[in-house]
Amino acid sequence: MSKAVTRKGDKEKPHCTGMVRLGASPDVFANGKRVSCHGHKNTPHLFPPKPCKGHSVGLKASQFRVMANNIPIGRVFD
């Protein structure tokens, strides 16, 4: 079964606080939203262990067959 594509603005699994996909391809879309790829960051959020510290991390793609502008696209849970 295939996983859904990650897109700018999609919610991600929260840690200490919630976050959404922030970075995305400038010109590749899925269902009207820009596609988020390997290395694109999410919004700043707090990450455990307590006390939670702020960070923003780049997506780590788990597949390398589907690309957007020669960068592997992200999938839900990557």
Side-chain angles (χ1 to χ4, degrees), residues 9-61:
D10 285 349
K11 290 182 181 179
E12 296 191 329
K13 184 177 178 183
H15 302 308
C16 293
T17 59
M19 68 279 213
V20 298
R21 284 273 98 218
L22 179 63
S25 168
D27 57 0
V28 178
F29 296 82
N31 294 347
K33 290 185 176 182
R34 293 173 31 203
V35 172
S36 194
C37 300
H38 183 82
H40 290 147
K41 291 189 174 189
N42 51 21
T43 54
H45 59 281
L46 297 179
F47 185 77
K50 293 189 178 186
C52 297
K53 297 183 179 176
H55 82 149
S56 176
V57 73
L59 187 142
K60 292 177 181 78

Side-chain angles (χ1 to χ4, degrees), residues 38 60-67 72-73:
H38 183 82
K60 292 177 181 78
S62 64
Q63 66 78 41
F64 299 90
R65 290 186 221 159
V66 181
M67 313 286 244
I73 66 163

